[in-house]
Amino acid sequence: MASDKPTHGIDRRNFLKSSAGITAAAMIAGCSGGPAKSGGSNGSNGGGGGGTQFVTIGTGGTGGVYYPLGGGMADIMNKNLKNVEATAESTGASVENCRLVANGEMTMALALGNAVLLAVNGEGDFDKALDLKAAFGAYQNSTQVVTTKGSGIQTIPDMKGKKISVGAPGSGTEVIAKELLNYFDISYKDIDAQRLSFSETATAIQDGQVDAGFWSVAYPASSIQNLASQKNIAFVKFPKKDLNQITSKFDYYSKGTIPAGTYKGVDEDVQVPGVTNTMVVKSSMSDDFAYKLTKSVFEHLDSLADVHQAANQFEGTARAAPIDLHPGSKKYFDEAGL
């Protein structure tokens, strides 16, 4: 899926170190920042002017990976870019983030690639096409579907009649949950669907209020780690035949593996569908500003990897966005040989 190629009218059916360290990095970056405005230019255009340029990064729930990564990127920008003041903000994640950037309420934001593709095509949860570009492909999310041992849920068809967390409203996780449930001919009418954030899902499973939950997130997810420390968790499995068909039917998915030992009590590799995340910006952002922001992140990936190991994937997924790269970002990747 080359990001240099335009995406027009794509059929949705064809794609469809510790927790303490993470929290500290996010707090350092000022994760409670508000909507982006700036002296001399608004946050989305990032144009000229001699004043401070304010950058707000849309992330996700505090129990996921977007939140610490966004905080880490804001910290990098603050330390390495003159006249830039960056903050990261917890949001409802992918779908909401696309809207926030398109509306100019956020300068940039992380979003799952399927939600991004729906956004630029005005499909699914989007009533109209949004004018977005990709600053970069960030990393691959693993679709982690978690339950507890003894729940009776081994595969997705076993979810019928159960209480299932499908992700927070406006999240890419919910988009994926719906898509995968539909693949197995399951709708919300067949389950007791709970629309919860990652942290809320973990708490609900721990308290026995939910039988299983969807996470579309890089591993290890702090909320799943915390859950695994309290309960004997198990992963809902994707049999090889189903995984082959899912990744074949929907171009958007690729095969991923959660290594054994990633979470307490999970002693075997888990095969799952994976989806690439994208950092989105408005098309109207100036080329110079997009270049500067992208360069600052990619020249300090070692520091970002100290916040979360997902940053180790950034170089390999830099161009792996489902929509067009912003010209400023593309210029940097061409120069850097990425």
Side-chain angles (χ1 to χ4, degrees), residues 156-175:
I156 288 181
D158 297 329
M159 289 182 170
K160 288 185 177 180
K162 303 285 189 178
K163 292 183 178 180
I164 308 298
S165 173
V166 295
S171 68
T173 292
E174 185 178 17
V175 174

Side-chain angles (χ1 to χ4, degrees), residues 209-224:
Q209 297 174 349
V210 162
D211 297 301
F214 284 82
W215 274 259
S216 180
V217 63
Y219 61 81
S222 61
S223 49
I224 300 178

Side-chain angles (χ1 to χ4, degrees), residues 20-78:
I22 290 174
T23 302
M27 291 176 64
I28 289 170
C31 285
S32 60
K37 296 178 182 179
S38 77
S41 66
N42 65 44
S44 56
N45 285 337
T52 299
Q53 292 176 301
F54 293 90
V55 174
T56 306
I57 305 171
T59 63
T62 57
V65 176
Y66 284 4
Y67 184 73
L69 278 180
M73 284 186 269
D75 192 33
I76 286 169
M77 292 174 190
N78 288 331

Side-chain angles (χ1 to χ4, degrees), residues 59 66 91-103 109-112 114-116 118-119 123-127 130 132 168-176 195 280:
T59 63
Y66 284 4
T91 69
S94 298
V95 174
E96 180 182 353
N97 283 351
C98 289
R99 294 193 179 112
L100 289 170
V101 172
N103 292 338
L110 288 162
L112 271 172
N114 55 348
V116 172
L118 291 171
E123 298 172 351
D125 291 328
F126 300 93
D127 296 330
L130 303 184
L132 301 172
S171 68
T173 292
E174 185 178 17
V175 174
I176 286 176
R195 303 174 77 199
V280 295

Side-chain angles (χ1 to χ4, degrees), residues 17-251:
K17 279 168 177 163
S18 69
S19 299
I22 290 174
T23 302
M27 291 176 64
I28 289 170
C31 285
S32 60
K37 296 178 182 179
S38 77
S41 66
N42 65 44
S44 56
N45 285 337
T52 299
Q53 292 176 301
F54 293 90
V55 174
T56 306
I57 305 171
T59 63
T62 57
V65 176
Y66 284 4
Y67 184 73
L69 278 180
M73 284 186 269
D75 192 33
I76 286 169
M77 292 174 190
N78 288 331
K79 289 179 178 178
N80 296 282
L81 294 177
K82 292 182 179 180
N83 300 321
V84 167
E85 194 171 302
T87 57
E89 182 173 335
S90 177
T91 69
S94 298
V95 174
E96 180 182 353
N97 283 351
C98 289
R99 294 193 179 112
L100 289 170
V101 172
N103 292 338
E105 297 176 62
M106 293 282 171
T107 312
M108 60 203 305
L110 288 162
L112 271 172
N114 55 348
V116 172
L117 193 54
L118 291 171
V120 299
N121 287 321
E123 298 172 351
D125 291 328
F126 300 93
D127 296 330
K128 63 179 182 179
L130 303 184
D131 194 15
L132 301 172
K133 289 287 189 292
F136 50 85
Y139 64 95
Q140 187 186 73
N141 264 14
S142 297
T143 305
Q144 303 174 61
V145 190
V146 179
T147 185
T148 56
K149 293 178 180 177
S151 69
I153 302 175
Q154 295 187 0
T155 62
I156 288 181
D158 297 329
M159 289 182 170
K160 288 185 177 180
K162 303 285 189 178
K163 292 183 178 180
I164 308 298
S165 173
V166 295
S171 68
T173 292
E174 185 178 17
V175 174
I176 286 176
K178 282 183 179 180
E179 194 163 65
L180 293 177
L181 287 166
N182 288 339
Y183 173 81
F184 290 99
D185 296 320
I186 299 174
S187 71
Y188 281 5
K189 294 180 180 179
D190 300 312
I191 62 173
D192 184 352
Q194 304 291 314
R195 303 174 77 199
L196 305 175
S197 70
F198 293 153
S199 296
E200 290 169 340
T201 299
T203 299
I205 293 176
Q206 181 178 332
D207 294 344
Q209 297 174 349
V210 162
D211 297 301
F214 284 82
W215 274 259
S216 180
V217 63
Y219 61 81
S222 61
S223 49
I224 300 178
Q225 286 179 315
N226 293 337
L227 175 61
S229 71
Q230 302 294 324
K231 301 285 284 190
N232 294 322
I233 68 167
F235 276 82
V236 178
K237 297 178 180 177
F238 290 89
K240 184 176 181 179
K241 178 182 177 182
D242 290 326
L243 188 57
N244 286 341
Q245 290 179 348
I246 289 168
T247 54
S248 176
K249 181 176 181 179
F250 306 113
D251 304 358

